[in-house]
């Protein structure tokens, strides 16, 4: 049975860290940071790369400083911010394109019916059924929103270009995946030339999970999604360690973002890694990149 987690005073928490090998040069700084960030979020979230042994007693690598744990915490926080920014930008774009391409074919009234979606096969029929039920639920929950009530109560319909503003990225991912094939293809071509609809559906689903991670302020750099990026030339080229870690998200961005925007994002990630490399001395940056599933030649992705 796991040890029961009990309340501990900040001084006790600092004492535990010191007993396990963490160097704390400024107790006032450590106490302030622990109280501001929460001991569990800071230590339990970012200690893994610094742990030399877990049993019988947890020990950190010799020389590990409290500031290094905090530096990794701050790195991850900044990584979430820039990743969320790009994901939100892509989310806005995909919602706009889905609404445009779908409404172009099915109009703005009574478009939420089975005939307008891909229901080939029992699985697809179930998916569409669940999608429509969820969308009608979202409409009902958002009836007090002025932009929604203006149409629902005043005109007795809600255009898709209004509805997409009230649903999540996960919802739009499901919506896109269940569109008719020719309409999915139309959206994919408008997102980026040469992008296949299957690639877009997969990337959208993966990035939705990373978006939620960022939005909920959760550990990101070593996160592995429940969604896997389907095999593609980038995964094979880099011989990636996984198809659902942070590097997989970077590849998904590569697939769907304009080159100029992608170069900006990669540069910002690189800057954060460079800054972290000046703050961490106990362990190598390779260990951090391994947690992110980033190969040593990861920077080549911006040139491919």
């Amino acid at each position: 049975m796991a040890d029961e987690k009990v309340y501990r005073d900040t001084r006790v928490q600092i004492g535990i860290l010191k007993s396990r090998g963490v160097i704390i040069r400024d107790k006032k700084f450590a106490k302030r940071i622990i109280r501001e960030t929460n001991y569990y979020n800071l230590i339990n979230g970012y200690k893994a790369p610094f742990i030399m042994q877990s049993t019988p007693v947890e020990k950190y690598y010799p020389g590990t400083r409290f500031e290094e744990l905090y530096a990794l915490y701050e790195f991850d926080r900044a990584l979430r911010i820039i990743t969320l920014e790009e994901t939100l930008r892509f989310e806005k774009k995909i919602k706009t394109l889905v609404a445009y391409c779908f409404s172009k074919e099915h109009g703005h009234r009574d478009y939420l019916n089975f005939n307008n979606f891909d229901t080939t096969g029992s699985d697809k029929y179930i998916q569409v059924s669940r999608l429509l039920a969820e969308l009608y639920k979202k409409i009902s929950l958002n009836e007090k929103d002025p932009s929604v009530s203006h149409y629902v109560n005043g005109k007795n319909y809600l255009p898709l270009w209004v509805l997409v503003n009230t649903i999540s990225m996960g919802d739009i991912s499901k919506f896109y995946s269940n569109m008719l094939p020719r309409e999915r293809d139309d959206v994919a071509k408008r997102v980026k030339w040469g992008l296949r609809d299957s690639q877009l559906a997969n990337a959208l689903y993966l990035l939705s999970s990373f978006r939620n991670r960022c939005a909920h302020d959760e550990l990101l750099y070593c996160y592995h999604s429940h969604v896997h990026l389907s095999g593609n030339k980038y995964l094979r080229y880099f011989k990636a360690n996984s198809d659902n870690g942070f590097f997989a998200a970077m590849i998904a961005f590569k697939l769907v973002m304009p080159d100029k925007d992608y170069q900006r994002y990669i540069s910002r990630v690189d800057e954060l890694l460079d800054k972290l490399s000046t703050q961490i001395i106990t362990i190598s940056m390779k260990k951090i990149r391994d947690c992110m599933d980033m190969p040593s030649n990861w920077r080549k992705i911006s040139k491919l």
Side-chain angles (χ1 to χ4, degrees), residues 19-185:
S19 71
R20 294 175 178 175
V22 177
I23 297 173
I24 298 179
R25 298 178 297 186
D26 188 338
K27 288 185 178 180
K28 287 185 178 180
F29 172 77
K31 186 180 294 186
R32 177 174 64 82
I33 295 302
I34 288 174
R35 288 177 175 173
E36 288 178 355
T37 62
N38 184 311
Y39 180 91
Y40 176 84
N41 294 338
L42 174 62
I43 305 303
N44 287 11
Y46 299 93
K47 68 182 179 180
F50 300 95
I51 296 296
M52 180 175 64
Q53 69 176 48
S54 299
T55 58
V57 179
E58 195 172 77
K59 288 290 183 182
Y60 288 75
Y61 284 108
T64 298
R65 296 173 294 117
F66 177 83
E67 288 83 359
E68 291 179 280
L69 293 168
Y70 182 56
L72 183 56
Y73 169 90
E74 284 289 284
F75 163 80
D76 197 43
R77 185 183 66 83
L79 189 66
R80 282 195 300 273
I81 291 172
I82 66 171
T83 301
L84 182 60
E85 285 179 0
E86 297 301 339
T87 309
L88 290 175
R89 186 175 286 109
F90 171 61
E91 179 181 350
K92 183 68 174 179
K93 180 178 181 177
I94 195 68
K95 284 181 175 181
T96 300
L97 287 175
V98 165
Y100 174 79
C101 294
F102 191 85
S103 299
K104 181 178 64 172
E105 297 295 329
H106 306 291
H108 58 281
R109 288 175 175 268
D110 303 322
Y111 54 86
L112 295 179
N113 65 69
F114 283 96
N115 294 330
N116 295 339
F117 294 89
D118 183 2
T119 55
T120 54
S122 58
D123 287 346
K124 293 290 286 183
Y125 186 89
I126 293 172
Q127 289 176 22
V128 172
S129 298
R130 290 174 177 169
L131 170 66
L132 294 180
E134 185 63 25
L135 291 178
Y136 279 118
K137 181 180 178 181
K138 291 288 177 68
I139 293 173
S140 177
L141 290 173
N142 287 281
E143 280 189 351
K144 292 184 179 180
D145 184 314
S147 62
V148 174
S149 62
H150 169 73
Y151 284 97
V152 173
N153 299 325
K155 301 179 183 294
N156 204 31
Y157 67 86
L158 183 67
L160 183 56
W161 57 82
V162 177
L163 175 59
V164 293
N165 293 323
T166 69
I167 63 178
S168 69
M169 190 173 178
D171 291 330
I172 204 67
S173 172
K174 295 173 186 175
F175 192 104
Y176 174 75
S177 295
N178 287 291
M179 288 169 64
L180 294 171
R182 67 177 183 278
E183 293 161 16
R184 292 200 304 267
D185 187 54

